[in-house]
Amino acid sequence: MSDQQRITVRVPAKINISLAIGPLRADGFHELTTVFQAVDLYDVVTAERAEGISLALQGPEATGLVADDTNLAWRAAALLAEAADRSRIGVALRVSKFIPVAAGLAGGSADAAAALLACDLLWGLGTPRAELDALAARLGSDVTFALHGHTALGTGRGEHLSPISTAAEFHWVLAVAGRGLSTPSVYRELDRQREASGGPADGAAPDRVVAALQAGDCTALADAMGNDLQSAALALAPELARTLEAGVSAGALAGMVAGSGPTCVFLARDRATAQSIARDIQASGTCRFAVAVLGNVAGARPATLPADQ
Ligand code: ATP
Protein backbone atom coordinates (compact mmCIF):
# COMPACT_ATOMS: atom_id res chain seq x y z
CA MET A 1 0.00 0.00 0.00
CA SER A 2 1.20 3.54 -0.70
CA ASP A 3 0.74 6.23 1.96
CA GLN A 4 -0.97 8.54 -0.56
CA GLN A 5 -4.46 9.53 0.61
CA ARG A 6 -5.57 11.11 -2.62
CA ILE A 7 -4.53 10.94 -6.29
CA THR A 8 -5.73 13.19 -9.11
CA VAL A 9 -5.36 12.14 -12.74
CA ARG A 10 -6.05 14.27 -15.80
CA VAL A 11 -7.02 12.43 -19.00
CA PRO A 12 -7.57 13.72 -22.54
CA ALA A 13 -10.30 13.19 -25.15
CA LYS A 14 -9.29 11.56 -28.43
CA ILE A 15 -10.05 12.12 -32.07
CA ASN A 16 -9.65 9.61 -34.90
CA ILE A 17 -7.78 11.34 -37.73
CA SER A 18 -8.39 8.26 -39.81
CA LEU A 19 -10.93 5.56 -39.06
CA ALA A 20 -11.01 2.64 -41.50
CA ILE A 21 -13.58 0.00 -40.60
CA GLY A 22 -13.13 -3.58 -41.80
CA PRO A 23 -15.71 -6.35 -41.87
CA LEU A 24 -17.79 -7.44 -38.87
CA ARG A 25 -15.95 -10.14 -36.89
CA ALA A 26 -17.48 -13.26 -35.39
CA ASP A 27 -17.28 -11.65 -31.92
CA GLY A 28 -19.56 -8.78 -33.05
CA PHE A 29 -16.77 -6.18 -33.27
CA HIS A 30 -15.41 -4.65 -36.45
CA GLU A 31 -11.74 -4.89 -37.34
CA LEU A 32 -10.38 -1.33 -37.30
CA THR A 33 -7.36 0.53 -38.52
CA THR A 34 -7.37 3.94 -36.94
CA VAL A 35 -5.06 6.85 -36.22
CA PHE A 36 -5.80 8.21 -32.76
CA GLN A 37 -4.67 11.58 -31.49
CA ALA A 38 -5.19 12.85 -27.93
CA VAL A 39 -6.40 16.48 -27.67
CA ASP A 40 -6.23 18.89 -24.76
CA LEU A 41 -9.83 18.64 -23.59
CA TYR A 42 -9.57 16.83 -20.25
CA ASP A 43 -11.65 15.01 -17.66
CA VAL A 44 -10.23 14.95 -14.14
CA VAL A 45 -10.54 11.89 -11.89
CA THR A 46 -9.74 12.01 -8.18
CA ALA A 47 -9.31 8.85 -6.11
CA GLU A 48 -9.39 8.99 -2.29
CA ARG A 49 -8.99 6.26 0.28
CA ALA A 50 -12.37 4.91 1.45
CA GLU A 51 -14.25 1.77 2.41
CA GLY A 52 -15.73 0.06 -0.68
CA ILE A 53 -16.09 1.79 -4.06
CA SER A 54 -18.15 4.94 -4.56
CA LEU A 55 -18.43 7.50 -7.35
CA ALA A 56 -19.45 11.15 -7.59
CA LEU A 57 -19.86 13.00 -10.89
CA GLN A 58 -19.53 16.74 -11.38
CA GLY A 59 -18.55 19.29 -14.00
CA PRO A 60 -20.26 20.89 -17.00
CA GLU A 61 -20.64 17.64 -19.01
CA ALA A 62 -21.86 15.31 -16.24
CA THR A 63 -25.59 15.77 -16.94
CA GLY A 64 -27.44 12.52 -17.57
CA LEU A 65 -24.58 10.24 -16.53
CA VAL A 66 -25.24 7.69 -13.82
CA ALA A 67 -22.81 7.38 -10.89
CA ASP A 68 -23.25 3.68 -10.22
CA ASP A 69 -21.32 0.48 -10.84
CA THR A 70 -22.10 0.62 -14.58
CA ASN A 71 -20.01 3.77 -14.95
CA LEU A 72 -16.71 3.05 -16.67
CA ALA A 73 -14.69 4.75 -13.91
CA TRP A 74 -16.27 2.50 -11.26
CA ARG A 75 -15.84 -0.59 -13.47
CA ALA A 76 -12.15 0.24 -13.90
CA ALA A 77 -11.60 0.48 -10.13
CA ALA A 78 -13.49 -2.78 -9.53
CA LEU A 79 -11.54 -4.59 -12.26
CA LEU A 80 -8.18 -3.44 -10.90
CA ALA A 81 -9.11 -4.46 -7.33
CA GLU A 82 -10.20 -7.88 -8.59
CA ALA A 83 -7.07 -8.35 -10.73
CA ALA A 84 -4.91 -7.45 -7.75
CA ASP A 85 -6.91 -9.86 -5.59
CA ARG A 86 -7.58 -7.01 -3.18
CA SER A 87 -11.38 -7.00 -3.26
CA ARG A 88 -11.53 -5.37 0.17
CA ILE A 89 -9.62 -2.23 -0.75
CA GLY A 90 -11.76 0.78 -1.47
CA VAL A 91 -11.82 4.13 -3.19
CA ALA A 92 -14.02 7.20 -3.39
CA LEU A 93 -13.85 8.32 -7.01
CA ARG A 94 -14.80 11.79 -8.21
CA VAL A 95 -15.02 12.43 -11.95
CA SER A 96 -15.13 16.01 -13.25
CA LYS A 97 -16.58 15.78 -16.76
CA PHE A 98 -15.44 18.29 -19.35
CA ILE A 99 -15.46 15.80 -22.25
CA PRO A 100 -18.99 15.65 -23.70
CA VAL A 101 -20.76 12.28 -23.30
CA ALA A 102 -21.63 10.05 -26.32
CA ALA A 103 -19.86 12.56 -28.56
CA GLY A 104 -17.34 10.29 -30.32
CA LEU A 105 -14.53 11.64 -28.13
CA ALA A 106 -14.17 8.55 -25.90
CA GLY A 107 -14.84 10.39 -22.66
CA GLY A 108 -16.03 7.24 -20.91
CA SER A 109 -12.90 5.38 -21.98
CA ALA A 110 -10.83 8.32 -20.76
CA ASP A 111 -12.43 8.09 -17.30
CA ALA A 112 -11.78 4.35 -17.19
CA ALA A 113 -8.10 4.90 -18.02
CA ALA A 114 -7.80 7.67 -15.42
CA ALA A 115 -9.51 5.57 -12.73
CA LEU A 116 -7.18 2.60 -13.46
CA LEU A 117 -4.11 4.78 -13.11
CA ALA A 118 -5.40 6.71 -10.07
CA CYS A 119 -6.35 3.52 -8.18
CA ASP A 120 -3.08 1.82 -9.09
CA LEU A 121 -1.21 4.77 -7.55
CA LEU A 122 -3.56 5.17 -4.56
CA TRP A 123 -3.36 1.48 -3.69
CA GLY A 124 0.39 1.36 -4.32
CA LEU A 125 0.02 -1.67 -6.58
CA GLY A 126 2.72 -0.74 -9.10
CA THR A 127 0.92 -2.76 -11.79
CA PRO A 128 3.31 -3.23 -14.76
CA ARG A 129 2.34 -1.16 -17.82
CA ALA A 130 1.61 -4.22 -19.96
CA GLU A 131 -0.88 -5.47 -17.33
CA LEU A 132 -2.57 -2.07 -17.07
CA ASP A 133 -2.86 -2.08 -20.87
CA ALA A 134 -4.46 -5.53 -20.79
CA LEU A 135 -6.97 -4.43 -18.13
CA ALA A 136 -7.67 -1.27 -20.16
CA ALA A 137 -8.43 -3.36 -23.26
CA ARG A 138 -10.94 -5.42 -21.24
CA LEU A 139 -12.78 -2.24 -20.26
CA GLY A 140 -13.16 -0.91 -23.82
CA SER A 141 -11.54 -0.50 -27.22
CA ASP A 142 -10.33 3.08 -26.63
CA VAL A 143 -9.18 2.77 -23.01
CA THR A 144 -5.63 1.66 -23.84
CA PHE A 145 -5.13 4.69 -26.05
CA ALA A 146 -6.41 7.00 -23.28
CA LEU A 147 -3.65 5.65 -21.00
CA HIS A 148 -0.98 6.34 -23.61
CA GLY A 149 -2.15 9.50 -25.41
CA HIS A 150 -0.12 11.38 -28.04
CA THR A 151 -0.67 9.87 -31.53
CA ALA A 152 -0.90 6.19 -32.39
CA LEU A 153 -2.02 3.70 -34.98
CA GLY A 154 -4.67 1.42 -33.50
CA THR A 155 -5.59 -2.00 -34.90
CA GLY A 156 -7.77 -4.90 -33.77
CA ARG A 157 -10.69 -3.19 -31.99
CA GLY A 158 -8.33 -0.22 -31.59
CA GLU A 159 -6.52 -1.66 -28.56
CA HIS A 160 -3.29 -2.72 -30.33
CA LEU A 161 -1.27 0.48 -30.50
CA SER A 162 1.88 1.58 -32.32
CA PRO A 163 3.00 5.11 -31.47
CA ILE A 164 3.39 7.57 -34.36
CA SER A 165 5.99 10.25 -33.79
CA THR A 166 5.31 13.69 -35.15
CA ALA A 167 7.22 16.86 -34.44
CA ALA A 168 4.55 19.25 -35.74
CA GLU A 169 1.79 20.98 -33.75
CA PHE A 170 -1.75 20.11 -34.83
CA HIS A 171 -4.59 22.50 -34.11
CA TRP A 172 -8.15 21.27 -34.27
CA VAL A 173 -11.63 22.61 -33.65
CA LEU A 174 -14.27 20.42 -32.02
CA ALA A 175 -17.89 21.34 -32.77
CA VAL A 176 -20.00 19.58 -30.16
CA ALA A 177 -23.61 18.75 -31.06
CA GLY A 178 -26.67 19.36 -28.93
CA ARG A 179 -27.32 15.61 -28.63
CA GLY A 180 -25.32 12.38 -28.43
CA LEU A 181 -25.16 9.43 -30.81
CA SER A 182 -24.83 5.88 -29.54
CA THR A 183 -21.75 4.19 -30.98
CA PRO A 184 -23.50 0.79 -31.53
CA SER A 185 -26.30 2.48 -33.49
CA VAL A 186 -23.78 4.18 -35.80
CA TYR A 187 -22.04 0.84 -36.46
CA ARG A 188 -25.42 -0.80 -37.15
CA GLU A 189 -26.20 1.93 -39.69
CA LEU A 190 -22.78 1.40 -41.34
CA ASP A 191 -23.49 -2.36 -41.64
CA ARG A 192 -26.93 -1.56 -43.10
CA GLN A 193 -25.44 0.86 -45.66
CA ARG A 194 -22.75 -1.63 -46.64
CA GLU A 195 -25.28 -4.41 -47.07
CA ALA A 196 -27.47 -2.16 -49.21
CA SER A 197 -24.55 -1.08 -51.40
CA GLY A 198 -23.04 -4.55 -51.71
CA GLY A 199 -19.88 -4.04 -49.66
CA PRO A 200 -17.44 -1.53 -48.21
CA ALA A 201 -17.09 1.51 -50.47
CA ASP A 202 -15.47 3.79 -47.93
CA GLY A 203 -12.07 5.33 -48.28
CA ALA A 204 -10.32 6.17 -45.00
CA ALA A 205 -6.57 6.03 -45.74
CA PRO A 206 -4.60 5.47 -42.51
CA ASP A 207 -1.28 5.01 -44.38
CA ARG A 208 -1.48 8.46 -45.94
CA VAL A 209 -2.42 9.95 -42.56
CA VAL A 210 0.57 8.29 -40.89
CA ALA A 211 2.90 9.63 -43.61
CA ALA A 212 1.48 13.17 -43.30
CA LEU A 213 1.86 13.10 -39.51
CA GLN A 214 5.44 11.85 -39.70
CA ALA A 215 6.25 14.56 -42.25
CA GLY A 216 4.46 17.20 -40.13
CA ASP A 217 2.55 18.20 -43.28
CA CYS A 218 -0.79 19.82 -42.38
CA THR A 219 -1.98 20.17 -45.98
CA ALA A 220 -1.31 16.50 -46.75
CA LEU A 221 -3.03 15.59 -43.47
CA ALA A 222 -6.11 17.60 -44.43
CA ASP A 223 -6.21 15.75 -47.73
CA ALA A 224 -5.78 12.28 -46.17
CA MET A 225 -8.01 12.46 -43.07
CA GLY A 226 -11.21 10.43 -43.31
CA ASN A 227 -13.76 8.45 -41.37
CA ASP A 228 -15.65 5.39 -42.62
CA LEU A 229 -18.35 6.06 -39.99
CA GLN A 230 -19.15 9.52 -41.35
CA SER A 231 -21.88 8.53 -43.82
CA ALA A 232 -23.60 6.44 -41.11
CA ALA A 233 -23.38 9.29 -38.57
CA LEU A 234 -24.76 11.73 -41.18
CA ALA A 235 -27.64 9.37 -41.94
CA LEU A 236 -28.59 9.33 -38.24
CA ALA A 237 -27.88 13.05 -37.67
CA PRO A 238 -28.32 14.84 -41.03
CA GLU A 239 -28.00 18.24 -39.36
CA LEU A 240 -24.24 17.60 -39.02
CA ALA A 241 -23.85 18.46 -42.73
CA ARG A 242 -24.50 22.11 -41.79
CA THR A 243 -21.88 22.01 -39.04
CA LEU A 244 -19.33 20.58 -41.50
CA GLU A 245 -20.16 23.31 -44.02
CA ALA A 246 -19.85 26.00 -41.34
CA GLY A 247 -16.34 24.84 -40.39
CA VAL A 248 -15.06 24.67 -43.94
CA SER A 249 -16.57 28.11 -44.77
CA ALA A 250 -14.84 29.45 -41.65
CA GLY A 251 -11.43 28.45 -43.09
CA ALA A 252 -10.76 24.91 -41.87
CA LEU A 253 -8.35 22.90 -44.03
CA ALA A 254 -10.75 19.96 -43.71
CA GLY A 255 -13.59 18.75 -41.50
CA MET A 256 -15.19 15.42 -40.68
CA VAL A 257 -17.27 13.62 -38.11
CA ALA A 258 -15.20 12.64 -35.06
CA GLY A 259 -15.28 8.85 -34.41
CA SER A 260 -18.91 7.76 -34.19
CA GLY A 261 -20.02 11.40 -33.91
CA PRO A 262 -21.90 13.58 -33.54
CA THR A 263 -18.97 15.90 -32.75
CA CYS A 264 -17.37 17.34 -35.90
CA VAL A 265 -13.61 17.93 -36.00
CA PHE A 266 -11.80 20.46 -38.16
CA LEU A 267 -8.10 20.86 -38.92
CA ALA A 268 -6.77 24.43 -38.75
CA ARG A 269 -3.54 25.94 -40.09
CA ASP A 270 -2.51 27.34 -36.67
CA ARG A 271 -3.79 28.20 -33.20
CA ALA A 272 -5.16 31.66 -34.07
CA THR A 273 -7.05 30.26 -37.07
CA ALA A 274 -8.44 27.43 -34.92
CA GLN A 275 -9.77 29.98 -32.42
CA SER A 276 -11.38 32.10 -35.12
CA ILE A 277 -12.94 29.01 -36.77
CA ALA A 278 -14.33 27.96 -33.37
CA ARG A 279 -15.92 31.42 -32.93
CA ASP A 280 -17.42 31.33 -36.43
CA ILE A 281 -18.86 27.83 -36.05
CA GLN A 282 -20.34 28.77 -32.70
CA ALA A 283 -21.88 31.90 -34.27
CA SER A 284 -23.37 29.78 -37.08
CA GLY A 285 -25.67 28.20 -34.48
CA THR A 286 -25.09 24.73 -35.95
CA CYS A 287 -23.72 23.14 -32.76
CA ARG A 288 -23.95 23.41 -28.96
CA PHE A 289 -20.43 24.81 -28.67
CA ALA A 290 -17.13 24.84 -30.56
CA VAL A 291 -13.67 24.85 -29.03
CA ALA A 292 -10.09 25.01 -30.35
CA VAL A 293 -7.85 22.20 -29.08
CA LEU A 294 -4.22 21.18 -29.44
CA GLY A 295 -3.42 17.66 -30.62
CA ASN A 296 -0.74 15.13 -29.64
CA VAL A 297 -0.94 15.65 -25.86
CA ALA A 298 -0.01 13.01 -23.24
CA GLY A 299 -2.51 10.40 -22.02
CA ALA A 300 -3.72 9.85 -18.44
CA ARG A 301 -1.23 11.44 -16.03
CA PRO A 302 -1.22 12.34 -12.32
CA ALA A 303 -1.94 16.05 -11.90
CA THR A 304 -1.35 18.48 -9.05
CA LEU A 305 -4.51 20.47 -8.52
CA PRO A 306 -5.84 22.76 -5.77
CA ALA A 307 -7.66 20.85 -3.03
CA ASP A 308 -11.15 21.95 -4.13
CA GLN A 309 -10.89 20.72 -7.75
P1 ATP B 1 -17.42 5.26 -27.40
O1 ATP B 1 -16.27 5.39 -26.43
O2 ATP B 1 -18.33 4.08 -27.14
O3 ATP B 1 -17.04 5.49 -28.83
P2 ATP B 1 -18.31 7.96 -27.13
O4 ATP B 1 -16.93 8.45 -27.18
O5 ATP B 1 -19.21 8.43 -28.23
O6 ATP B 1 -18.41 6.42 -27.06
P3 ATP B 1 -18.63 8.21 -24.28
O7 ATP B 1 -18.71 9.58 -23.71
O8 ATP B 1 -17.42 7.41 -24.04
O9 ATP B 1 -19.00 8.33 -25.81
O10 ATP B 1 -19.93 7.45 -23.73
C1 ATP B 1 -20.48 6.27 -24.24
C2 ATP B 1 -21.48 5.72 -23.22
O11 ATP B 1 -20.75 5.18 -22.12
C3 ATP B 1 -22.39 6.79 -22.61
O12 ATP B 1 -23.61 6.86 -23.28
C4 ATP B 1 -22.57 6.36 -21.16
O13 ATP B 1 -23.81 5.72 -20.97
C5 ATP B 1 -21.49 5.31 -20.91
N1 ATP B 1 -20.55 5.73 -19.83
C6 ATP B 1 -20.19 4.99 -18.79
N2 ATP B 1 -19.32 5.64 -18.00
C7 ATP B 1 -19.11 6.83 -18.57
C8 ATP B 1 -18.29 7.94 -18.22
N3 ATP B 1 -17.53 7.95 -17.11
N4 ATP B 1 -18.32 9.01 -19.04
C9 ATP B 1 -19.06 8.98 -20.18
N5 ATP B 1 -19.86 7.96 -20.54
C10 ATP B 1 -19.88 6.89 -19.74
Side-chain angles (χ1 to χ4, degrees):
M1 282 283 214
S2 77
D3 50 12
Q4 293 266 31
Q5 293 299 311
R6 174 194 175 116
I7 302 283
T8 298
V9 169
R10 193 172 80 148
V11 64
K14 62 85 189 158
I15 56 171
N16 302 82
I17 306 177
S18 182
L19 180 51
I21 316 248
L24 190 60
R25 309 191 310 200
D27 65 1
F29 288 99
H30 290 78
E31 193 72 23
L32 309 180
T33 306
T34 187
V35 177
F36 290 114
Q37 189 164 77
V39 297
D40 70 343
L41 174 64
Y42 296 101
D43 277 353
V44 178
V45 174
T46 299
E48 253 179 283
R49 281 176 179 274
E51 300 264 315
I53 299 176
S54 65
L55 173 65
L57 298 168
Q58 61 183 42
E61 298 294 332
T63 318
L65 265 187
V66 182
D68 64 11
D69 61 1
T70 64
N71 193 285
L72 279 158
W74 185 311
R75 286 177 45 207
L79 182 66
L80 182 67
E82 183 197 306
D85 204 12
R86 302 274 274 277
S87 51
R88 278 174 298 139
I89 48 182
V91 61
L93 290 167
R94 186 150 42 100
V95 179
S96 300
K97 291 288 304 173
F98 298 92
I99 305 174
V101 176
L105 301 171
S109 301
D111 298 343
L116 269 184
L117 183 62
C119 290
D120 187 58
L121 293 169
L122 184 76
W123 296 335
L125 299 174
T127 309
R129 198 22 140 8
E131 278 175 41
L132 271 190
D133 282 355
L135 293 173
R138 284 173 59 187
L139 289 160
S141 309
D142 297 336
V143 182
T144 319
F145 178 72
L147 274 179
H148 288 255
H150 297 291
T151 306
L153 186 70
T155 52
R157 288 184 289 122
E159 79 281 29
H160 300 303
L161 298 176
S162 338
I164 299 169
S165 64
T166 177
E169 272 193 358
F170 294 98
H171 296 276
W172 303 94
V173 177
L174 303 178
V176 176
R179 58 151 161 165
L181 267 183
S182 111
T183 304
S185 70
V186 179
Y187 274 94
R188 274 196 301 275
E189 173 61 18
L190 174 78
D191 292 337
R192 197 198 59 74
Q193 289 182 353
R194 284 181 168 178
E195 217 174 292
S197 71
D202 304 288
D207 293 356
R208 289 204 296 133
V209 165
V210 172
L213 287 164
Q214 286 169 335
D217 184 340
C218 235
T219 313
L221 188 63
D223 191 46
M225 60 195 245
N227 178 1
D228 284 357
L229 284 180
Q230 174 156 314
S231 61
L234 283 171
L236 298 178
E239 71 276 13
L240 297 180
R242 290 182 55 227
T243 316
L244 290 170
E245 270 166 37
V248 173
S249 321
L253 296 170
M256 65 180 178
V257 170
S260 53
T263 301
C264 293
V265 58
F266 301 90
L267 181 60
R269 197 172 308 282
D270 53 36
R271 184 185 166 82
T273 314
Q275 286 168 338
S276 105
I277 293 168
R279 279 193 298 273
D280 287 1
I281 298 177
Q282 180 115 23
S284 75
T286 60
C287 64
R288 178 159 65 91
F289 70 91
V291 61
V293 292
L294 176 68
N296 201 29
V297 299
R301 295 287 183 277
T304 315
L305 292 171
D308 60 345
Q309 293 248 311

